[in-house]
Amino acid sequence: MNLSRTPCALAWRGATALAFPLAAFAQAPAAESPVKSLGVVTVNSGQPTSLPTQIPTTIEGITREQIAQTINATDSEDALKYFPSLLVRKRYIGDYNHAILSSRASGTGNSARSAVYADGILLSNYLGNGIANGTNFAPRWGLVSPEEIERVDVLYGPFSAAYPGNSVGAVVDYVTRMPTQLEAHAKLSGFTQNFKLYGTDSSFSGSQASASLGNRNGDWSWFVNVNRTKSAGQPLTFATSPVSTTAAAPGAQAVTGAVPGLNTRNVPWLLLGGATQYDTTQEHAKLKVAYDFSPTIRASYTLGYWSTDTQNRSESYLRNAAGAPVYSGNVSIDGRGYALAPTLFGVSNETLEHVMHGLSVKSNTQGVWDWEVAASLYDYQKDQARAAGTALPGALNGGAGTLQDQDGTGWNTLALKGIWRPEGIKGAHIVDFGFQQDSYKLRILKSNTVGSWLTGGAGTVVSDVGGKTQLRSLYAQDAWSFAPKWKTVLGARVENWTASSGFTNFGPGNAANTNYASRSDSAVSPKGALSYQWSADTVLKASVGRAVRFPTVGELYGATATVNSQYINDPNLKPEKSWTTELTAEKDLGSGILRFTFFAENTRDALYSQQTFDAAANTNISRVQNVGRIATQGVEVAYSGNDVFQKGLDLSGSVTYADSRIKENKGFVLVAGDTVGKYQPRVPVWRATALATYRFTPQLSGTFAARYSGNQYSSLDNADVNGFAYQGTSKYFTTDVRVRYQVNKQWSAAVGIDNLNNYQYWNFHPYPQRTFMAELNFSL
């Protein structure tokens, strides 16, 4: 992404993101961007943030001006779209339950291997990892709207002691707006795609409206933002059946419309219909209030609300002789028999209401001592999913079904932070230290409904699982400028983790009901970075860090695949333990910055769902288990420049190579040893991004962007060789365009197309096809 530099180096023109003086140390005023010197980023913001004052890792950033100019942003995660080595698995506009962030050595099934914050408040959902048990653990992107964003910074790797082991992949830090004078904003946008795949050929559209108002009155500052998104997504799953080898049963209904295809392992199957077609209405509201007790002490409070009402519908491709859709029963396709289960074409409704609180009191003297006390709470006030248990079309009118309820689930955090500058802000040492406590509670109660699945209350228990985890941490790190051209950051993190109150319940008297014993574990994670000013325009840096990612509640206690819960859950999972190293060379080319980064990660006991033999059950079972060792080596090349070749042309791009393989594993997919030597799931060998923006006039700009990912796999044994199929993970090459015009000081308009080349690609689910967008903005 585009970067900027202070007067300590050649000034950049246009929108800016990070400050990168390469030859001298500079400090940023309280409300300005981070500043970089000798390979270490310094943050001196008075606003709440998760960032420590000294950041020894690779960091990339983007500002709200750049987002408005270059990205067709409908969700907050869109700000990350062209960052090096990052991918958010966003399947449709407003995707609230599967939009998981992947990074250099972590795939889109590992949500617990990255950390997302907004104004210092944790948005990552560490109640679980990935998608499991009919629920999801993606970051809560919906608690930030694109119009709120002031800037976004991404830290790569676990090299700062200020973050838990979940930072092993990346840390994303959003800073949202806090006005210094009266301001008002409004935005209206619309989008549509024509989606054609298998037997589906339809348009799916939506709209979005956002408004915000803020001001500073004396010592008080405040900001309010509201946002409403109505979005219809394409089908995300498909009803399938293996090709039958038996004759149709007597009386079977002859149907047409089934689409022949190959599954991910190139085995023939039939696709019978599209499913999981979400029609969602999401509402977001945010109130931020800040009070300055003095010029150096500020208290900040954030209240966030997010809700969604979502309908999940299906369509059958099958038609009888009269042309009517067929959803269930015995059917005949080309003379062969198939039995369609009543729930093959699923129908469900979801109603979610989540509330977030954040409170921070922070000093910003930039003297010998500074401190901060911060706390946050994220609460599932209402989280209910209703699913039909009978066949369409009658299911739309009611009937039996289930109700899954997660009300009361959530997490809270507490952080006490200190900064010690023994020799002042320009001294040789700057020490960050602190205490953190993160607590998580999960409960997933699934019941048969009393009466209609549409409105009925909870009846008999299908499954009831839950538990708690807590992480307490002490950390410290010292940024030491020990020689004119040298700087080091040395630190360590000491953590104590506990898991308690774990249970699995299948109803009164069920022999499989289990209460799990409490357990605890501790870890020490050292960190270190060393940078050297090779020349006036070149910095060299080496970083190393250990990260310990402890199991989540969902991984420990959340599985309910069968009533043999003691064989599915493993309350004794080991934590993931990673050592990550990074070697970076960064050169100022005058109109841009070029960075080469070599990275390596060695992870023991990686947490994955896989199959293994259970002696107690005397069978092969699937559950979350520890993969012995995964090793990743790679290189990342990134460039960002303004006014390249000619005034008005901004260019940025990246190429990443990663060889991530399983080296040791006792588990397996089909036979013992079939995963050793295979690629880690959903970590492609090659990735690339490119972004070009040309400012034709001060009012008019145009952007062309592209993203590429090579072949990848979802299965640990890499046997899913057909990525271009439902449940596959494919390579892709997509292009986007955006044109923005600033009509006058108050009004602007933009049009854009995502996936301009209409590339059909997959990450288990199909991604959107060519999508047209238009927006109108007003700012006071």
Side-chain angles (χ1 to χ4, degrees), residues 85 104 583 595-600 633-637 655-659 685-687:
S85 304
R104 291 169 176 168
L583 298 174
R595 173 174 59 82
F596 289 86
T597 298
F598 297 90
F599 58 89
Q633 299 86 33
V635 61
E636 179 182 271
V637 182
V655 177
T656 303
Y657 168 82
D659 184 4
V685 175
W686 289 100
R687 277 169 281 189

mmCIF file of all heavy atoms in Angstrom, residues 85 104 583 595-600 633-637 655-659 685-687:
data_model
loop_
_atom_site.group_PDB
_atom_site.id
_atom_site.type_symbol
_atom_site.label_atom_id
_atom_site.label_comp_id
_atom_site.label_asym_id
_atom_site.label_seq_id
_atom_site.Cartn_x
_atom_site.Cartn_y
_atom_site.Cartn_z
ATOM 1 N N SER A 85 0.217 -10.450 0.818
ATOM 2 C CA SER A 85 0.073 -11.772 1.445
ATOM 3 C C SER A 85 -1.230 -11.966 2.211
ATOM 4 O O SER A 85 -1.415 -13.005 2.848
ATOM 5 C CB SER A 85 1.246 -12.061 2.395
ATOM 6 O OG SER A 85 2.471 -11.960 1.718
ATOM 7 N N ARG A 104 0.600 -14.933 5.565
ATOM 8 C CA ARG A 104 1.698 -15.615 4.886
ATOM 9 C C ARG A 104 1.686 -17.120 5.116
ATOM 10 O O ARG A 104 1.845 -17.904 4.167
ATOM 11 C CB ARG A 104 3.033 -15.060 5.394
ATOM 12 C CG ARG A 104 3.355 -13.642 4.999
ATOM 13 C CD ARG A 104 4.545 -13.156 5.798
ATOM 14 N NE ARG A 104 5.000 -11.819 5.422
ATOM 15 C CZ ARG A 104 5.861 -11.114 6.127
ATOM 16 N NH1 ARG A 104 6.365 -11.608 7.262
ATOM 17 N NH2 ARG A 104 6.231 -9.911 5.726
ATOM 18 N N LEU A 583 13.806 -11.666 7.707
ATOM 19 C CA LEU A 583 14.946 -10.850 7.275
ATOM 20 C C LEU A 583 14.435 -9.891 6.208
ATOM 21 O O LEU A 583 13.861 -10.315 5.207
ATOM 22 C CB LEU A 583 16.061 -11.723 6.704
ATOM 23 C CG LEU A 583 16.690 -12.742 7.652
ATOM 24 C CD1 LEU A 583 17.675 -13.629 6.888
ATOM 25 C CD2 LEU A 583 17.399 -12.043 8.806
ATOM 26 N N ARG A 595 10.602 -3.267 -0.815
ATOM 27 C CA ARG A 595 10.924 -4.109 0.343
ATOM 28 C C ARG A 595 11.040 -5.568 -0.075
ATOM 29 O O ARG A 595 10.174 -6.095 -0.778
ATOM 30 C CB ARG A 595 9.834 -3.958 1.415
ATOM 31 C CG ARG A 595 9.995 -4.917 2.591
ATOM 32 C CD ARG A 595 8.989 -4.652 3.699
ATOM 33 N NE ARG A 595 7.609 -4.774 3.258
ATOM 34 C CZ ARG A 595 6.952 -5.923 3.157
ATOM 35 N NH1 ARG A 595 7.561 -7.084 3.438
ATOM 36 N NH2 ARG A 595 5.685 -5.939 2.758
ATOM 37 N N PHE A 596 12.119 -6.217 0.387
ATOM 38 C CA PHE A 596 12.297 -7.668 0.256
ATOM 39 C C PHE A 596 12.270 -8.267 1.654
ATOM 40 O O PHE A 596 13.040 -7.835 2.525
ATOM 41 C CB PHE A 596 13.627 -8.011 -0.420
ATOM 42 C CG PHE A 596 13.691 -7.686 -1.876
ATOM 43 C CD1 PHE A 596 14.049 -6.419 -2.298
ATOM 44 C CD2 PHE A 596 13.381 -8.639 -2.836
ATOM 45 C CE1 PHE A 596 14.117 -6.108 -3.641
ATOM 46 C CE2 PHE A 596 13.441 -8.342 -4.182
ATOM 47 C CZ PHE A 596 13.807 -7.072 -4.595
ATOM 48 N N THR A 597 11.411 -9.251 1.875
ATOM 49 C CA THR A 597 11.324 -9.902 3.177
ATOM 50 C C THR A 597 11.397 -11.410 3.001
ATOM 51 O O THR A 597 10.571 -11.994 2.284
ATOM 52 C CB THR A 597 10.018 -9.532 3.905
ATOM 53 O OG1 THR A 597 9.981 -8.133 4.140
ATOM 54 C CG2 THR A 597 9.915 -10.271 5.228
ATOM 55 N N PHE A 598 12.365 -12.032 3.647
ATOM 56 C CA PHE A 598 12.449 -13.490 3.719
ATOM 57 C C PHE A 598 11.872 -13.915 5.065
ATOM 58 O O PHE A 598 12.264 -13.374 6.110
ATOM 59 C CB PHE A 598 13.895 -13.953 3.580
ATOM 60 C CG PHE A 598 14.516 -13.604 2.260
ATOM 61 C CD1 PHE A 598 15.190 -12.400 2.088
ATOM 62 C CD2 PHE A 598 14.434 -14.467 1.180
ATOM 63 C CE1 PHE A 598 15.755 -12.052 0.872
ATOM 64 C CE2 PHE A 598 14.991 -14.136 -0.048
ATOM 65 C CZ PHE A 598 15.658 -12.923 -0.198
ATOM 66 N N PHE A 599 10.938 -14.860 5.053
ATOM 67 C CA PHE A 599 10.292 -15.267 6.303
ATOM 68 C C PHE A 599 10.288 -16.784 6.427
ATOM 69 O O PHE A 599 10.321 -17.522 5.434
ATOM 70 C CB PHE A 599 8.859 -14.727 6.382
ATOM 71 C CG PHE A 599 7.954 -15.153 5.246
ATOM 72 C CD1 PHE A 599 7.213 -16.327 5.314
ATOM 73 C CD2 PHE A 599 7.841 -14.369 4.103
ATOM 74 C CE1 PHE A 599 6.387 -16.720 4.278
ATOM 75 C CE2 PHE A 599 7.013 -14.750 3.052
ATOM 76 C CZ PHE A 599 6.280 -15.926 3.136
ATOM 77 N N ALA A 600 10.270 -17.229 7.664
ATOM 78 C CA ALA A 600 10.213 -18.665 7.953
ATOM 79 C C ALA A 600 9.414 -18.856 9.229
ATOM 80 O O ALA A 600 9.496 -18.044 10.161
ATOM 81 C CB ALA A 600 11.606 -19.252 8.102
ATOM 82 N N GLN A 633 8.610 -21.597 4.563
ATOM 83 C CA GLN A 633 9.666 -20.664 4.168
ATOM 84 C C GLN A 633 9.161 -19.892 2.952
ATOM 85 O O GLN A 633 8.464 -20.443 2.098
ATOM 86 C CB GLN A 633 10.971 -21.378 3.795
ATOM 87 C CG GLN A 633 11.598 -22.183 4.916
ATOM 88 C CD GLN A 633 11.036 -23.582 5.020
ATOM 89 O OE1 GLN A 633 10.675 -24.177 4.011
ATOM 90 N NE2 GLN A 633 10.964 -24.110 6.225
ATOM 91 N N GLY A 634 9.538 -18.613 2.884
ATOM 92 C CA GLY A 634 9.070 -17.846 1.753
ATOM 93 C C GLY A 634 9.719 -16.490 1.638
ATOM 94 O O GLY A 634 10.573 -16.109 2.455
ATOM 95 N N VAL A 635 9.312 -15.778 0.612
ATOM 96 C CA VAL A 635 9.809 -14.425 0.366
ATOM 97 C C VAL A 635 8.637 -13.560 -0.065
ATOM 98 O O VAL A 635 7.727 -14.010 -0.776
ATOM 99 C CB VAL A 635 10.922 -14.419 -0.707
ATOM 100 C CG1 VAL A 635 10.400 -14.947 -2.041
ATOM 101 C CG2 VAL A 635 11.504 -13.028 -0.881
ATOM 102 N N GLU A 636 8.660 -12.324 0.390
ATOM 103 C CA GLU A 636 7.633 -11.354 0.048
ATOM 104 C C GLU A 636 8.317 -10.100 -0.495
ATOM 105 O O GLU A 636 9.204 -9.538 0.149
ATOM 106 C CB GLU A 636 6.815 -11.017 1.291
ATOM 107 C CG GLU A 636 5.706 -10.005 1.107
ATOM 108 C CD GLU A 636 5.012 -9.742 2.432
ATOM 109 O OE1 GLU A 636 4.047 -10.480 2.737
ATOM 110 O OE2 GLU A 636 5.447 -8.839 3.186
ATOM 111 N N VAL A 637 7.901 -9.679 -1.674
ATOM 112 C CA VAL A 637 8.432 -8.471 -2.296
ATOM 113 C C VAL A 637 7.287 -7.481 -2.431
ATOM 114 O O VAL A 637 6.228 -7.823 -2.978
ATOM 115 C CB VAL A 637 9.053 -8.762 -3.672
ATOM 116 C CG1 VAL A 637 9.634 -7.485 -4.277
ATOM 117 C CG2 VAL A 637 10.118 -9.843 -3.562
ATOM 118 N N VAL A 655 4.453 -9.520 -4.455
ATOM 119 C CA VAL A 655 4.530 -10.921 -4.858
ATOM 120 C C VAL A 655 4.997 -11.716 -3.650
ATOM 121 O O VAL A 655 5.978 -11.334 -2.989
ATOM 122 C CB VAL A 655 5.501 -11.131 -6.031
ATOM 123 C CG1 VAL A 655 5.613 -12.617 -6.373
ATOM 124 C CG2 VAL A 655 5.051 -10.346 -7.255
ATOM 125 N N THR A 656 4.313 -12.811 -3.353
ATOM 126 C CA THR A 656 4.675 -13.659 -2.214
ATOM 127 C C THR A 656 4.847 -15.094 -2.678
ATOM 128 O O THR A 656 3.995 -15.633 -3.387
ATOM 129 C CB THR A 656 3.596 -13.620 -1.125
ATOM 130 O OG1 THR A 656 3.396 -12.272 -0.702
ATOM 131 C CG2 THR A 656 4.007 -14.464 0.077
ATOM 132 N N TYR A 657 5.949 -15.686 -2.263
ATOM 133 C CA TYR A 657 6.189 -17.119 -2.457
ATOM 134 C C TYR A 657 6.256 -17.765 -1.084
ATOM 135 O O TYR A 657 6.985 -17.291 -0.203
ATOM 136 C CB TYR A 657 7.495 -17.359 -3.199
ATOM 137 C CG TYR A 657 7.940 -18.815 -3.186
ATOM 138 C CD1 TYR A 657 7.407 -19.727 -4.078
ATOM 139 C CD2 TYR A 657 8.880 -19.260 -2.258
ATOM 140 C CE1 TYR A 657 7.793 -21.062 -4.058
ATOM 141 C CE2 TYR A 657 9.281 -20.579 -2.227
ATOM 142 C CZ TYR A 657 8.737 -21.493 -3.125
ATOM 143 O OH TYR A 657 9.124 -22.800 -3.096
ATOM 144 N N ALA A 658 5.506 -18.838 -0.883
ATOM 145 C CA ALA A 658 5.507 -19.532 0.410
ATOM 146 C C ALA A 658 5.449 -21.035 0.179
ATOM 147 O O ALA A 658 4.539 -21.541 -0.488
ATOM 148 C CB ALA A 658 4.324 -19.089 1.265
ATOM 149 N N ASP A 659 6.416 -21.733 0.717
ATOM 150 C CA ASP A 659 6.427 -23.199 0.692
ATOM 151 C C ASP A 659 6.091 -23.664 2.100
ATOM 152 O O ASP A 659 6.930 -23.670 2.991
ATOM 153 C CB ASP A 659 7.810 -23.702 0.275
ATOM 154 C CG ASP A 659 7.853 -25.213 0.125
ATOM 155 O OD1 ASP A 659 6.794 -25.855 0.272
ATOM 156 O OD2 ASP A 659 8.944 -25.754 -0.134
ATOM 157 N N VAL A 685 1.221 -21.365 -2.888
ATOM 158 C CA VAL A 685 2.654 -21.149 -3.079
ATOM 159 C C VAL A 685 2.903 -19.729 -3.594
ATOM 160 O O VAL A 685 3.828 -19.051 -3.148
ATOM 161 C CB VAL A 685 3.224 -22.194 -4.059
ATOM 162 C CG1 VAL A 685 4.694 -21.915 -4.359
ATOM 163 C CG2 VAL A 685 3.064 -23.599 -3.476
ATOM 164 N N TRP A 686 2.074 -19.268 -4.508
ATOM 165 C CA TRP A 686 2.270 -17.938 -5.097
ATOM 166 C C TRP A 686 1.045 -17.064 -4.861
ATOM 167 O O TRP A 686 -0.099 -17.513 -4.995
ATOM 168 C CB TRP A 686 2.523 -18.037 -6.603
ATOM 169 C CG TRP A 686 3.861 -18.610 -6.952
ATOM 170 C CD1 TRP A 686 4.132 -19.895 -7.336
ATOM 171 C CD2 TRP A 686 5.122 -17.924 -6.940
ATOM 172 N NE1 TRP A 686 5.476 -20.047 -7.573
ATOM 173 C CE2 TRP A 686 6.111 -18.854 -7.341
ATOM 174 C CE3 TRP A 686 5.510 -16.616 -6.641
ATOM 175 C CZ2 TRP A 686 7.454 -18.518 -7.438
ATOM 176 C CZ3 TRP A 686 6.848 -16.268 -6.738
ATOM 177 C CH2 TRP A 686 7.811 -17.216 -7.136
ATOM 178 N N ARG A 687 1.303 -15.795 -4.524
ATOM 179 C CA ARG A 687 0.272 -14.772 -4.406
ATOM 180 C C ARG A 687 0.820 -13.462 -4.952
ATOM 181 O O ARG A 687 2.027 -13.204 -4.852
ATOM 182 C CB ARG A 687 -0.151 -14.562 -2.949
ATOM 183 C CG ARG A 687 -1.168 -15.543 -2.442
ATOM 184 C CD ARG A 687 -1.323 -15.424 -0.944
ATOM 185 N NE ARG A 687 -0.242 -16.091 -0.240
ATOM 186 C CZ ARG A 687 -0.227 -16.290 1.067
ATOM 187 N NH1 ARG A 687 -1.213 -15.851 1.812
ATOM 188 N NH2 ARG A 687 0.782 -16.927 1.634
#
